[in-house]
Amino acid sequence: MGVSSTEKPVALVTGGSRGIGRACALGLAEDGYDIVINYVGNKQAANEVAAGVAARHRRALVVQGDVGSEADMLQLFKAVDGFGRLAVLVNNAGVVDVAARVDEMSLERLIRMMQINVIGSFLCAREAVKRMSTRHGGKGGAIINIGSVAAILGAPAQYVDYAAAKGAVDSMTIGLGREVAAEGIRVNAVRPGLIETDIHASGGIPDRVQKLAGFVPMQRGGTAEEVADSVRWLASPKASYVVGAIITVSGGR
Ligand code: NAP
């Protein structure tokens, strides 16, 4: 894995302050990238990840911004430009909402779900392609989207809106992957199952992993690091012929 010691390209991880994003940021630092850590509200957590990157002898830049806001994302990518050459984007920032049936979902909820999970991923991918594509004078790169097994399970009576948003992320992975494959950019995705992070508490079920672990063929939840390992592989030259792939990391779920 890793990159040469003379060149230190940049990896941007959206939602890099906690959970899967944090594990990706620290893992990619180990692989030799300087890291831009985007977060939306938890500055302390982002700064702790930056300290972890520094401990791995790489530079870190922490940038606040809501991925669903175009203005914020333009600011974020401006900051990236001042930091170094963007080689990897991990489109990780994502949210769930509390369990609800579709016939209970408000317009506000639906808009938030799509704004952050879908439009946020598109805005970041758009800005990354502008910088990475050989068509725009770039040197290529890798974009890794974080999907979810919800996209194929549908998440009935829980969050069909989230599942549908992640379905859109899968489609974007395939379509954009083919769109820019000849321009030096590999677009792929990792599709996590039940992973031990704070996201379940934000959906109102902090013990969701423990509750559902018995339904996972491997009989346990996964760790953020187990997801990050696939992200790191997709970012690396080891995945040089992999485009539009969606790697399921779910213990068989
Ligand atoms: P998490 O522990 O809740 O962390 C979410 C991260 O995203 C935090 O760093 C948070 O920043 C950031 N974030 C949230 N909204 C944002 C926004 N609007 N703009 C920028 N950053 C934002 O979540 P996680 O479990 O690590 O999930 C990461 C990704 O994996 C998501 O796309 C999620 O859908 C996907 N996923 C997770 C699981 C699972 O079981 N955990 C399963 C399948 C897919 P702050 O720290 O500033 O709040």
Side-chain angles (χ1 to χ4, degrees):
M1 290 218 206
V3 291
S4 84
S5 57
T6 50
E7 192 203 28
K8 289 175 189 164
V10 171
L12 163 62
V13 184
T14 66
S17 46
R18 290 183 293 124
I20 293 168
R22 173 182 181 278
C24 291
L26 296 177
L28 288 166
E30 264 164 40
D31 294 338
Y33 295 92
D34 288 340
I35 308 292
V36 179
I37 302 150
N38 156 256
Y39 74 101
V40 68
N42 199 329
K43 189 175 186 177
Q44 191 186 333
N47 283 336
E48 283 169 19
V49 178
V53 171
R56 288 160 176 79
H57 309 293
R58 296 297 167 201
R59 294 184 306 139
L61 177 69
V62 170
V63 185
Q64 191 277 338
D66 177 350
V67 292
S69 156
E70 184 176 40
D72 283 7
M73 290 306 97
L74 292 177
Q75 280 297 323
L76 169 64
F77 277 83
K78 212 169 143 186
V80 171
D81 291 340
F83 188 64
R85 177 178 69 81
L86 183 67
V88 175
L89 163 67
V90 184
N91 253 333
N92 165 79
V95 291
V96 296
D97 209 321
V98 294
R101 288 169 46 96
V102 171
D103 55 14
E104 298 166 341
M105 290 177 187
S106 66
L107 177 62
E108 290 71 27
R109 169 178 170 138
L110 292 171
I111 290 174
R112 172 176 175 266
M113 200 52 50
M114 301 303 155
Q115 190 84 31
I116 296 174
N117 293 327
V118 182
I119 295 179
S121 298
F122 266 87
L123 289 173
C124 292
R126 182 189 76 190
E127 293 308 308
V129 168
K130 284 184 194 168
R131 287 155 178 85
M132 293 173 177
S133 171
T134 52
R135 183 189 172 105
H136 299 298
K139 289 186 172 174
I143 297 174
I144 298 108
N145 296 323
I146 305 297
S148 170
V149 292
I152 43 180
L153 298 175
Q158 198 163 42
Y159 29 64
V160 173
D161 52 348
Y162 170 78
K166 291 299 186 176
V169 170
D170 284 359
S171 298
M172 189 264 264
T173 301
I174 297 164
L176 182 63
R178 292 175 175 170
E179 190 167 292
V180 298
E183 299 169 22
I185 306 175
R186 293 182 302 100
V187 183
N188 293 289
V190 174
R191 179 189 276 154
L194 200 58
I195 309 300
E196 289 165 15
T197 71
D198 299 341
I199 202 169
H200 310 291
S202 70
I205 315 173
D207 57 349
R208 185 164 175 267
V209 175
Q210 291 75 15
K211 275 185 173 158
L212 295 179
F215 295 102
V216 177
M218 282 186 76
Q219 300 290 301
R220 67 170 178 87
T223 66
E225 287 72 24
E226 287 176 306
V227 178
D229 281 344
S230 288
V231 171
R232 292 166 68 178
W233 180 75
L234 284 170
S236 81
K238 296 276 186 201
S240 57
Y241 199 53
V242 182
V243 164
I246 303 171
I247 300 180
T248 302
V249 180
S250 69
R253 187 157 172 253

